[in-house]
Amino acid sequence: MKARSSETRQEFARNTTNSIRELFEQYVVPSYARFDLVLERGQGSHVWDANGKRYLDLGGGIAVCALGHAHPEITEALIEQSKKLVHTSNLYYTEPQARLAKRIVDLTAPGRIFFCNSGAEANEGLFKLARKFGQDQGRYEIITAFDSFHGRTLAGIAATGQTKVKKGFDPAVAGFKHVPFNDLDAPRAAITKSTVAILVEPIQGESGVMMATPEYLIGLRKLCDEQNLLLLFDEVQAGHFRTGKFHSWQRILEDGETDSLPDGISMAKGLGGGFPIGALWVREKLADVLSAGTHASTFGGTPLACAVALRVLDVVERNDLAANARRIGELLIDRLRRMQGKYPRVVREVRGLGLMIGIEFQPDLRAFAREQKSPAIQVVDRLHEKGVLTVPAATSVIRLLPPLNLSESEADEGLHAIEEVIAAFAEQEQEKE
Ligand SMILES: *Cc1c(COP(=O)(O)O)cnc(C)c1O
């Protein structure tokens, strides 16, 4: 009887999964290639699908769920604030927005905050800041890096240094130029009398976790000072304590002098721990560039979003999750590098800082050739079978972007599954055709 009822339950779950998929196929714009998983609930670093299967979430909703899922303090902040005020518009002052702005400035450097709702929007704010700054001199051009990612709005895809996001959306927004990342001569050579800013991700996420060197960031600062350009950092993915400091550039430069960087910073993903919020910081001397009436967002900085973001920062600071991100990140990177040493035919490189980690696979594995999907997607699929969620990047990199409160035993659980997948690839390399 027991077997029968669990069989029925499984069939019920299968039907639920199928009917949800059918609704998607019929009613949702098919702009995403989704994995075949219907996620139903989460707790901490784990989520469960509609079949009741449990997964360790090492993707964190793409670097968003800073405290994992269903964190009681996020729930409490949502409930408390929603009983008072959810939204007012920016026609009025509210306390949570004021407090969050001060908090981000304290974590960054003297400056001002503009609130919005997403990473793309935060970058749009930076583009407008740059154009307004250069307007009187007829300067508008922003230099960005190849393989960068800055969001999916029209200006975002123009800024992004990857052709695949631009295809089909011509004409591109004017005024963006791309140069190689981590190369100081390239932006210097690209500067014209129209150039007004340089925008980079201190750690490129979408293209597979590529880190800027300290020399590069410091060199960009010097170049921008020389040429009167704004230096803008996109911290949407790498920021919010993921690398062990609030911003990833603070971590990259922690052994040196960090006072002079940058002029503007975009933020979003992990800032609200899953509640949508975006923000940009501008250096104090630029505080008046976006003057009254020049930029706005109806939803930007709602009391609810800001109350949640404040609570996320409270929890991160109280539990010193920056230190946890650093420690667990080092543990993961160390163990993954050992796997690379053991299976060099399978793993090409392990890169990362804190809990932003990329594992690059050898793209020419025999197993990969058997399927149409990219190597990255195939690895992510295999990890799903083992009960672990990760995020693909580029063609043969998977990313780990787990909650900042990931425990050592959860890290072990993830490493165990990853090693099993790597070992299976290694074994398949040995097999005769
Ligand atoms: C995700 C991301 C964005 C875009 O953020 P959205 O919230 O999806 O608009 C921009 N820049 C970087 C570096 C990102 O990782």
Side-chain angles (χ1 to χ4, degrees), residues 62 117-121 123 149-152 201 203 205-206 234-238 266 268-269 399:
I62 319 184
N117 310 284
S118 68
E121 249 185 280
N123 284 328
F149 182 79
H150 299 297
R152 296 289 196 144
E201 295 155 88
I203 305 178
E206 295 305 299
D234 180 338
E235 287 277 0
V236 169
Q237 187 165 151
S266 53
K269 289 193 167 89
R399 268 176 295 173

PDB file of all heavy atoms in Angstrom, residues 62 117-121 123 149-152 201 203 205-206 234-238 266 268-269 399, ligand 1:
ATOM      1  N   ILE A  62      21.425  33.049  -9.141  1.00  0.00           N
ATOM      2  CA  ILE A  62      22.439  33.886  -9.807  1.00  0.00           C
ATOM      3  C   ILE A  62      22.915  35.005  -8.867  1.00  0.00           C
ATOM      4  O   ILE A  62      22.670  36.195  -9.099  1.00  0.00           O
ATOM      5  CB  ILE A  62      21.982  34.462 -11.171  1.00  0.00           C
ATOM      6  CG1 ILE A  62      21.206  33.403 -11.984  1.00  0.00           C
ATOM      7  CG2 ILE A  62      23.207  34.950 -11.967  1.00  0.00           C
ATOM      8  CD1 ILE A  62      20.802  33.862 -13.382  1.00  0.00           C
ATOM      9  N   ASN A 117      15.626  49.261  -9.506  1.00  0.00           N
ATOM     10  CA  ASN A 117      15.068  47.930  -9.241  1.00  0.00           C
ATOM     11  C   ASN A 117      15.853  46.758  -9.805  1.00  0.00           C
ATOM     12  O   ASN A 117      15.463  45.621  -9.610  1.00  0.00           O
ATOM     13  CB  ASN A 117      13.639  47.865  -9.802  1.00  0.00           C
ATOM     14  CG  ASN A 117      12.827  49.039  -9.339  1.00  0.00           C
ATOM     15  OD1 ASN A 117      12.397  49.089  -8.206  1.00  0.00           O
ATOM     16  ND2 ASN A 117      12.663  50.019 -10.209  1.00  0.00           N
ATOM     17  N   SER A 118      16.894  47.017 -10.557  1.00  0.00           N
ATOM     18  CA  SER A 118      17.618  45.907 -11.173  1.00  0.00           C
ATOM     19  C   SER A 118      19.019  46.354 -11.550  1.00  0.00           C
ATOM     20  O   SER A 118      19.335  47.554 -11.512  1.00  0.00           O
ATOM     21  CB  SER A 118      16.890  45.426 -12.438  1.00  0.00           C
ATOM     22  OG  SER A 118      16.971  46.426 -13.432  1.00  0.00           O
ATOM     23  N   GLY A 119      19.816  45.393 -11.963  1.00  0.00           N
ATOM     24  CA  GLY A 119      21.181  45.701 -12.363  1.00  0.00           C
ATOM     25  C   GLY A 119      21.235  46.513 -13.647  1.00  0.00           C
ATOM     26  O   GLY A 119      22.012  47.467 -13.770  1.00  0.00           O
ATOM     27  N   ALA A 120      20.398  46.132 -14.617  1.00  0.00           N
ATOM     28  CA  ALA A 120      20.384  46.866 -15.885  1.00  0.00           C
ATOM     29  C   ALA A 120      20.026  48.329 -15.634  1.00  0.00           C
ATOM     30  O   ALA A 120      20.632  49.240 -16.209  1.00  0.00           O
ATOM     31  CB  ALA A 120      19.383  46.227 -16.847  1.00  0.00           C
ATOM     32  N   GLU A 121      19.064  48.530 -14.764  1.00  0.00           N
ATOM     33  CA  GLU A 121      18.628  49.896 -14.448  1.00  0.00           C
ATOM     34  C   GLU A 121      19.714  50.681 -13.717  1.00  0.00           C
ATOM     35  O   GLU A 121      19.855  51.893 -13.917  1.00  0.00           O
ATOM     36  CB  GLU A 121      17.425  49.811 -13.520  1.00  0.00           C
ATOM     37  CG  GLU A 121      16.131  50.252 -14.106  1.00  0.00           C
ATOM     38  CD  GLU A 121      15.078  50.233 -13.021  1.00  0.00           C
ATOM     39  OE1 GLU A 121      14.558  49.140 -12.721  1.00  0.00           O
ATOM     40  OE2 GLU A 121      14.793  51.298 -12.459  1.00  0.00           O
ATOM     41  N   ASN A 123      22.871  50.255 -14.140  1.00  0.00           N
ATOM     42  CA  ASN A 123      23.836  50.649 -15.171  1.00  0.00           C
ATOM     43  C   ASN A 123      23.302  51.781 -16.036  1.00  0.00           C
ATOM     44  O   ASN A 123      24.049  52.690 -16.409  1.00  0.00           O
ATOM     45  CB  ASN A 123      24.223  49.443 -16.033  1.00  0.00           C
ATOM     46  CG  ASN A 123      25.188  48.526 -15.299  1.00  0.00           C
ATOM     47  OD1 ASN A 123      25.992  48.992 -14.490  1.00  0.00           O
ATOM     48  ND2 ASN A 123      25.100  47.229 -15.557  1.00  0.00           N
ATOM     49  N   PHE A 149      29.341  42.013 -19.205  1.00  0.00           N
ATOM     50  CA  PHE A 149      27.878  41.922 -19.222  1.00  0.00           C
ATOM     51  C   PHE A 149      27.308  43.045 -18.376  1.00  0.00           C
ATOM     52  O   PHE A 149      27.685  43.193 -17.220  1.00  0.00           O
ATOM     53  CB  PHE A 149      27.384  40.564 -18.694  1.00  0.00           C
ATOM     54  CG  PHE A 149      25.889  40.453 -18.762  1.00  0.00           C
ATOM     55  CD1 PHE A 149      25.252  40.164 -19.959  1.00  0.00           C
ATOM     56  CD2 PHE A 149      25.108  40.686 -17.632  1.00  0.00           C
ATOM     57  CE1 PHE A 149      23.855  40.104 -20.036  1.00  0.00           C
ATOM     58  CE2 PHE A 149      23.718  40.626 -17.703  1.00  0.00           C
ATOM     59  CZ  PHE A 149      23.090  40.330 -18.907  1.00  0.00           C
ATOM     60  N   HIS A 150      26.416  43.840 -18.979  1.00  0.00           N
ATOM     61  CA  HIS A 150      25.877  44.990 -18.245  1.00  0.00           C
ATOM     62  C   HIS A 150      24.357  45.092 -18.295  1.00  0.00           C
ATOM     63  O   HIS A 150      23.800  46.150 -18.019  1.00  0.00           O
ATOM     64  CB  HIS A 150      26.524  46.282 -18.763  1.00  0.00           C
ATOM     65  CG  HIS A 150      28.017  46.301 -18.584  1.00  0.00           C
ATOM     66  ND1 HIS A 150      28.617  46.273 -17.340  1.00  0.00           N
ATOM     67  CD2 HIS A 150      29.036  46.308 -19.483  1.00  0.00           C
ATOM     68  CE1 HIS A 150      29.939  46.287 -17.482  1.00  0.00           C
ATOM     69  NE2 HIS A 150      30.216  46.295 -18.772  1.00  0.00           N
ATOM     70  N   GLY A 151      23.677  43.997 -18.647  1.00  0.00           N
ATOM     71  CA  GLY A 151      22.216  44.027 -18.607  1.00  0.00           C
ATOM     72  C   GLY A 151      21.595  44.009 -19.986  1.00  0.00           C
ATOM     73  O   GLY A 151      22.277  44.156 -20.997  1.00  0.00           O
ATOM     74  N   ARG A 152      20.257  43.838 -20.000  1.00  0.00           N
ATOM     75  CA  ARG A 152      19.557  43.548 -21.258  1.00  0.00           C
ATOM     76  C   ARG A 152      18.714  44.687 -21.797  1.00  0.00           C
ATOM     77  O   ARG A 152      17.919  44.478 -22.717  1.00  0.00           O
ATOM     78  CB  ARG A 152      18.681  42.312 -21.053  1.00  0.00           C
ATOM     79  CG  ARG A 152      19.476  41.050 -20.751  1.00  0.00           C
ATOM     80  CD  ARG A 152      20.227  40.556 -21.974  1.00  0.00           C
ATOM     81  NE  ARG A 152      20.647  39.180 -21.762  1.00  0.00           N
ATOM     82  CZ  ARG A 152      20.676  38.264 -22.734  1.00  0.00           C
ATOM     83  NH1 ARG A 152      20.350  38.582 -23.961  1.00  0.00           N
ATOM     84  NH2 ARG A 152      21.065  37.037 -22.466  1.00  0.00           N
ATOM     85  N   GLU A 201      33.471  45.489 -15.056  1.00  0.00           N
ATOM     86  CA  GLU A 201      33.161  44.648 -13.914  1.00  0.00           C
ATOM     87  C   GLU A 201      34.510  44.276 -13.279  1.00  0.00           C
ATOM     88  O   GLU A 201      35.352  43.698 -13.962  1.00  0.00           O
ATOM     89  CB  GLU A 201      32.496  43.337 -14.351  1.00  0.00           C
ATOM     90  CG  GLU A 201      31.138  43.455 -14.996  1.00  0.00           C
ATOM     91  CD  GLU A 201      30.878  42.263 -15.912  1.00  0.00           C
ATOM     92  OE1 GLU A 201      30.369  41.245 -15.432  1.00  0.00           O
ATOM     93  OE2 GLU A 201      31.202  42.347 -17.114  1.00  0.00           O
ATOM     94  N   ILE A 203      35.033  41.876 -11.439  1.00  0.00           N
ATOM     95  CA  ILE A 203      35.088  40.442 -11.766  1.00  0.00           C
ATOM     96  C   ILE A 203      33.986  40.185 -12.784  1.00  0.00           C
ATOM     97  O   ILE A 203      32.804  40.378 -12.485  1.00  0.00           O
ATOM     98  CB  ILE A 203      34.855  39.546 -10.535  1.00  0.00           C
ATOM     99  CG1 ILE A 203      35.827  39.892  -9.407  1.00  0.00           C
ATOM    100  CG2 ILE A 203      35.003  38.068 -10.928  1.00  0.00           C
ATOM    101  CD1 ILE A 203      35.619  39.084  -8.133  1.00  0.00           C
ATOM    102  N   GLY A 205      31.347  38.254 -14.546  1.00  0.00           N
ATOM    103  CA  GLY A 205      30.598  37.067 -14.121  1.00  0.00           C
ATOM    104  C   GLY A 205      30.118  36.214 -15.268  1.00  0.00           C
ATOM    105  O   GLY A 205      30.482  35.040 -15.394  1.00  0.00           O
ATOM    106  N   GLU A 206      29.325  36.824 -16.159  1.00  0.00           N
ATOM    107  CA  GLU A 206      28.671  36.041 -17.214  1.00  0.00           C
ATOM    108  C   GLU A 206      29.674  35.370 -18.142  1.00  0.00           C
ATOM    109  O   GLU A 206      29.405  34.326 -18.711  1.00  0.00           O
ATOM    110  CB  GLU A 206      27.737  36.933 -18.039  1.00  0.00           C
ATOM    111  CG  GLU A 206      26.562  37.494 -17.251  1.00  0.00           C
ATOM    112  CD  GLU A 206      25.741  36.428 -16.568  1.00  0.00           C
ATOM    113  OE1 GLU A 206      25.187  35.564 -17.260  1.00  0.00           O
ATOM    114  OE2 GLU A 206      25.660  36.457 -15.327  1.00  0.00           O
ATOM    115  N   ASP A 234      30.814  48.011 -12.427  1.00  0.00           N
ATOM    116  CA  ASP A 234      29.574  47.241 -12.348  1.00  0.00           C
ATOM    117  C   ASP A 234      29.794  46.135 -11.317  1.00  0.00           C
ATOM    118  O   ASP A 234      30.479  45.144 -11.583  1.00  0.00           O
ATOM    119  CB  ASP A 234      29.251  46.656 -13.731  1.00  0.00           C
ATOM    120  CG  ASP A 234      27.958  45.843 -13.736  1.00  0.00           C
ATOM    121  OD1 ASP A 234      27.535  45.375 -12.662  1.00  0.00           O
ATOM    122  OD2 ASP A 234      27.385  45.654 -14.833  1.00  0.00           O
ATOM    123  N   GLU A 235      29.208  46.330 -10.137  1.00  0.00           N
ATOM    124  CA  GLU A 235      29.354  45.367  -9.037  1.00  0.00           C
ATOM    125  C   GLU A 235      28.072  44.559  -8.849  1.00  0.00           C
ATOM    126  O   GLU A 235      27.874  43.953  -7.791  1.00  0.00           O
ATOM    127  CB  GLU A 235      29.682  46.111  -7.734  1.00  0.00           C
ATOM    128  CG  GLU A 235      31.098  46.666  -7.671  1.00  0.00           C
ATOM    129  CD  GLU A 235      32.122  45.618  -7.228  1.00  0.00           C
ATOM    130  OE1 GLU A 235      31.744  44.455  -6.966  1.00  0.00           O
ATOM    131  OE2 GLU A 235      33.312  45.986  -7.142  1.00  0.00           O
ATOM    132  N   VAL A 236      27.230  44.549  -9.864  1.00  0.00           N
ATOM    133  CA  VAL A 236      25.907  43.929  -9.726  1.00  0.00           C
ATOM    134  C   VAL A 236      26.015  42.470  -9.265  1.00  0.00           C
ATOM    135  O   VAL A 236      25.275  42.036  -8.385  1.00  0.00           O
ATOM    136  CB  VAL A 236      25.116  44.037 -11.052  1.00  0.00           C
ATOM    137  CG1 VAL A 236      23.858  43.177 -11.015  1.00  0.00           C
ATOM    138  CG2 VAL A 236      24.759  45.495 -11.327  1.00  0.00           C
ATOM    139  N   GLN A 237      26.961  41.733  -9.839  1.00  0.00           N
ATOM    140  CA  GLN A 237      27.084  40.314  -9.493  1.00  0.00           C
ATOM    141  C   GLN A 237      28.135  40.071  -8.409  1.00  0.00           C
ATOM    142  O   GLN A 237      27.928  39.288  -7.484  1.00  0.00           O
ATOM    143  CB  GLN A 237      27.437  39.503 -10.745  1.00  0.00           C
ATOM    144  CG  GLN A 237      27.431  38.017 -10.529  1.00  0.00           C
ATOM    145  CD  GLN A 237      27.424  37.211 -11.820  1.00  0.00           C
ATOM    146  OE1 GLN A 237      27.929  36.123 -11.853  1.00  0.00           O
ATOM    147  NE2 GLN A 237      26.836  37.716 -12.878  1.00  0.00           N
ATOM    148  N   ALA A 238      29.273  40.747  -8.509  1.00  0.00           N
ATOM    149  CA  ALA A 238      30.414  40.435  -7.629  1.00  0.00           C
ATOM    150  C   ALA A 238      30.329  41.146  -6.276  1.00  0.00           C
ATOM    151  O   ALA A 238      31.046  40.785  -5.354  1.00  0.00           O
ATOM    152  CB  ALA A 238      31.715  40.827  -8.329  1.00  0.00           C
ATOM    153  N   SER A 266      27.484  50.386  -9.825  1.00  0.00           N
ATOM    154  CA  SER A 266      26.125  49.843  -9.914  1.00  0.00           C
ATOM    155  C   SER A 266      26.016  48.592  -9.054  1.00  0.00           C
ATOM    156  O   SER A 266      26.971  47.822  -8.933  1.00  0.00           O
ATOM    157  CB  SER A 266      25.765  49.520 -11.369  1.00  0.00           C
ATOM    158  OG  SER A 266      26.736  48.685 -11.961  1.00  0.00           O
ATOM    159  N   ALA A 268      22.948  45.511  -7.482  1.00  0.00           N
ATOM    160  CA  ALA A 268      21.591  44.948  -7.532  1.00  0.00           C
ATOM    161  C   ALA A 268      21.582  43.552  -6.915  1.00  0.00           C
ATOM    162  O   ALA A 268      21.438  43.430  -5.699  1.00  0.00           O
ATOM    163  CB  ALA A 268      21.026  44.925  -8.942  1.00  0.00           C
ATOM    164  N   LYS A 269      21.792  42.550  -7.734  1.00  0.00           N
ATOM    165  CA  LYS A 269      21.555  41.146  -7.393  1.00  0.00           C
ATOM    166  C   LYS A 269      21.419  40.806  -5.895  1.00  0.00           C
ATOM    167  O   LYS A 269      20.320  40.617  -5.412  1.00  0.00           O
ATOM    168  CB  LYS A 269      22.618  40.268  -8.041  1.00  0.00           C
ATOM    169  CG  LYS A 269      22.427  40.175  -9.561  1.00  0.00           C
ATOM    170  CD  LYS A 269      23.248  39.083 -10.181  1.00  0.00           C
ATOM    171  CE  LYS A 269      22.826  38.786 -11.602  1.00  0.00           C
ATOM    172  NZ  LYS A 269      23.472  39.558 -12.644  1.00  0.00           N
ATOM    173  N   ARG A 399      29.441  28.252 -12.760  1.00  0.00           N
ATOM    174  CA  ARG A 399      29.691  29.187 -11.665  1.00  0.00           C
ATOM    175  C   ARG A 399      29.059  28.708 -10.374  1.00  0.00           C
ATOM    176  O   ARG A 399      27.942  28.187 -10.379  1.00  0.00           O
ATOM    177  CB  ARG A 399      29.054  30.540 -11.991  1.00  0.00           C
ATOM    178  CG  ARG A 399      29.946  31.516 -12.685  1.00  0.00           C
ATOM    179  CD  ARG A 399      29.159  32.756 -13.038  1.00  0.00           C
ATOM    180  NE  ARG A 399      28.112  32.454 -14.018  1.00  0.00           N
ATOM    181  CZ  ARG A 399      27.189  33.328 -14.409  1.00  0.00           C
ATOM    182  NH1 ARG A 399      27.138  34.533 -13.872  1.00  0.00           N
ATOM    183  NH2 ARG A 399      26.302  32.992 -15.331  1.00  0.00           N
TER     184      ARG A 399
HETATM  185  C1  LIG B   1      23.044  40.380 -13.774  1.00  0.00           C
HETATM  186  C2  LIG B   1      23.937  41.491 -14.170  1.00  0.00           C
HETATM  187  C3  LIG B   1      23.430  42.678 -14.695  1.00  0.00           C
HETATM  188  C4  LIG B   1      21.976  42.857 -15.015  1.00  0.00           C
HETATM  189  O1  LIG B   1      21.180  42.814 -13.877  1.00  0.00           O
HETATM  190  P1  LIG B   1      19.594  42.620 -14.032  1.00  0.00           P
HETATM  191  O2  LIG B   1      19.090  42.742 -12.628  1.00  0.00           O
HETATM  192  O3  LIG B   1      19.370  41.283 -14.642  1.00  0.00           O
HETATM  193  O4  LIG B   1      19.114  43.708 -14.906  1.00  0.00           O
HETATM  194  C5  LIG B   1      24.311  43.702 -14.966  1.00  0.00           C
HETATM  195  N1  LIG B   1      25.634  43.567 -14.735  1.00  0.00           N
HETATM  196  C6  LIG B   1      26.158  42.441 -14.228  1.00  0.00           C
HETATM  197  C7  LIG B   1      27.618  42.359 -13.987  1.00  0.00           C
HETATM  198  C8  LIG B   1      25.330  41.357 -13.951  1.00  0.00           C
HETATM  199  O5  LIG B   1      25.860  40.221 -13.484  1.00  0.00           O
END
